[in-house]
Each structure stands twice: as structure tokens, then as C-alpha cells.
Amino acid sequence: MSIARRLISIEAGQVRPFKFTIQTGGANTQFELPLTSPGGKQPNIVVDWGDSSGTTTILQTLDSGRFHTYSTAGTYQIIISGYCPGFNVNNNSSYKGLYRSFDDWGGIDFEQIDFFGCINLTTIPSDVSNNATLNEGLNTVLRFNSTFRQTGITIIPNGLFDFSSNVTSFVNTFVFCTGISSIPSGLFDNNTQVVNFESVFRNCRSITAIPSNFFSNNQSVTTFSNAFNMATTANSLGGATPTDTPSGDEIFERTPTPIGTDCFAFCSGLTNFGSIPATFK
């Protein structure tokens, strides 16, 4: 879809905006939208800052309009409409602590997104309102690398990646999300083009079980290195390693064998840890 057509759709009310909430701690707090340009693609967005100051149109990642100053402390929902291919916090120490929740993924053509380091971010929505005729939600994302890394989320919503059929990489997606205790079954079932799950749940130390048949639909994966490295507290993980079929074939028994260095390192509490080959632990 062209940018022009997308803007027309927005005006007609056909595309949902991206909505998220921040909290400022004092007067005259500055905030920056972390806009990036994957493949050289520039944004074309209209931003409502949530403080009755009006809207800002941004056409370049380095546009000065990406900065906004909040005159008073408070909680603000920011609403973005238009075309936004890249939104990458990337552990920016100046603003990462302001994020509180993501309220609606909207439909603004994300290709790359990450909220790495947003330690106060506790809530994210499912991607449940896919529109077959528009690029809504997360269905345009190509890589979820470091997307929720070191955030404060405690729940992975069911259906989070259901419409992200073109994604190829989940590297470091949930690294150090120590509040997550469970993983939804079928989380990656529709992500059949993924080739890399490196460190996807590394250091998620509160996880208590890994769903069976977890990677059964991800047959193109070439590396699971560090995928569950230290994904447990005191090596007490009580579930079983992900299986590919009900008959019990394991990811390390595939042909060709994916790279599995340290995939289950320090997960000795797994019920079948002894059967995991050394190349995967």
C-alpha cells in the first residue's frame, strides 16, 4: 500500500492508530519518538501527544518534531497515525523509563520495533484485529529482535504473533524478561518463515514450563543457540523440552540439525534434561 493511500485510509477511519502510554516524572520533561528508517524508508506520521497541545506531522526520522516537552508531570497516551516502518527504543537511557503500556498496535506498517530496556513497560496487547485488506497490527514486522528485551512485562498475550507471517527472526526477543512465568502454547505457530530463535527466552528465570510441540511449525530454523539459557530459577524448570511432533521428535533430532549451542544451558531441572545432547546444553 502506498503512503498516499494509507493517509487517505486514515482520514476515512479505516486504519487504527498506534497507541502507547508514558508517564513523566516532573515538569518540562522531554520525550523523543525513537523513529528509524529500515531500508531507508522514512516515516510519514501524525502524532497526538496526549496533552491537548495539538498534533505534529513528521516526515523524517531526524525531524525536530520527534521531540516533545510535557509542561507538567502526568500520564499521557500518545497516538500515532500514518506510516512508521521503524520504532526502536534500543535501550535509550534518556527515555526508556517513561514507557508504561502499549495499548493498541494499530496499523502503521511496522517493519522493525523494539522496546529494549523499557523496564517500566508492563502491558502489551495481543495482535487480534488483523484486517486482510490493510497492513494492521504486527503483520508487517519482519524481525522481532530485542522487541521486549529487559522490559517489565509479566504476561505474553495469546495471539501476540498470530498475524506476523513474514517474520524471519526472534533474536533476543524476551531476554531478561524475568517477570514472565509462562509461555502461551502456539506462540510461534504462524511464524513459519523464522530461521533464527537465538536467545529468544534467555535469562527469563521465572519460566516454569515449556509447551510441548512448541516449535513444530518452525521447520526452517537454523539456530536455537541460547534460546532457553538460564530460563529458570535455581534450575527448577519443570516442563519438557519443546517437541516437534506428538511422537516426541526433538528439535535437536532434526535433519539437518540446527545450531543449538547453550540452548538449554543451566536448565537441568527439565524432566528430560539427560536426553538433551551436549551440543544443546
Side-chain angles (χ1 to χ4, degrees):
M1 175 181 291
S2 69
I3 293 174
R5 183 181 171 191
R6 172 159 294 279
L7 294 178
I8 291 172
S9 297
I10 292 169
E11 292 173 0
Q14 297 177 13
V15 179
R16 300 186 338 272
F18 172 47
K19 301 178 182 180
F20 64 97
T21 299
I22 65 169
Q23 183 175 328
T24 62
N28 299 315
T29 297
Q30 186 182 68
F31 178 73
E32 177 188 8
L33 291 176
L35 305 175
T36 57
S37 53
K41 300 173 185 177
Q42 293 292 333
N44 187 333
I45 59 175
V46 176
V47 183
D48 181 335
W49 299 101
D51 60 354
S52 301
S53 63
T55 60
T56 302
T57 298
I58 299 175
L59 303 177
Q60 300 283 334
T61 58
L62 298 181
D63 193 315
S64 61
R66 74 188 189 279
F67 292 99
H68 186 74
T69 299
Y70 290 91
S71 59
T72 59
T75 301
Y76 302 95
Q77 186 183 66
I78 297 174
I79 301 175
I80 300 177
S81 302
Y83 173 72
C84 186
F87 192 97
N88 299 87
V89 177
N90 196 27
N91 207 27
N92 185 308
S93 59
S94 298
Y95 309 106
K96 65 182 182 181
L98 300 182
Y99 292 85
R100 291 299 186 272
S101 67
F102 286 92
D103 310 315
D104 192 325
W105 295 120
I108 59 176
D109 292 302
F110 288 128
E111 290 185 17
Q112 296 178 11
I113 54 172
D114 85 67
F115 316 113
F116 176 15
C118 296
I119 57 176
N120 295 317
L121 172 63
T122 58
T123 305
I124 58 175
S126 295
D127 186 18
V128 296
S129 52
N130 182 60
N131 185 315
T133 62
L134 296 173
N135 292 331
E136 289 199 349
L138 301 175
N139 69 358
T140 53
V141 176
L142 303 178
R143 289 170 290 279
F144 284 103
N145 295 349
S146 296
T147 299
F148 303 107
R149 182 177 181 177
Q150 289 181 241
T151 61
I153 64 172
T154 57
I155 296 175
I156 301 175
N158 289 317
L160 179 60
F161 305 120
D162 276 4
F163 302 111
S164 305
S165 58
N166 295 317
V167 64
T168 60
S169 179
F170 283 95
V171 174
N172 296 323
T173 306
F174 296 102
V175 167
F176 274 107
C177 288
T178 55
I180 294 174
S181 60
S182 64
I183 304 173
S185 297
L187 181 64
F188 303 124
D189 277 3
N190 295 341
N191 314 127
T192 58
Q193 297 187 48
V194 176
V195 297
N196 196 339
F197 276 113
E198 182 174 355
S199 299
V200 58
F201 291 107
R202 181 166 58 89
N203 283 95
C204 292
R205 301 185 182 190
S206 298
I207 291 175
T208 58
I210 304 172
S212 297
N213 306 306
F214 192 45
F215 296 114
S216 61
N217 289 0
N218 312 117
Q219 295 295 321
S220 298
V221 178
T222 60
T223 180
F224 289 101
S225 296
N226 291 290
F228 295 97
N229 189 339
M230 297 191 72
T232 173
T233 300
N235 298 329
S236 61
L237 199 60
T241 55
T243 56
D244 293 327
T245 69
S247 62
D249 293 332
E250 309 289 358
I251 58 175
F252 43 78
E253 294 178 345
R254 293 181 179 179
T255 302
T257 304
I259 299 170
T261 307
D262 293 327
C263 180
F264 298 105
F266 302 101
C267 294
S268 58
L270 286 164
T271 55
N272 56 347
F273 186 76
S275 66
I276 300 174
T279 52
F280 274 73
K281 63 185 180 182

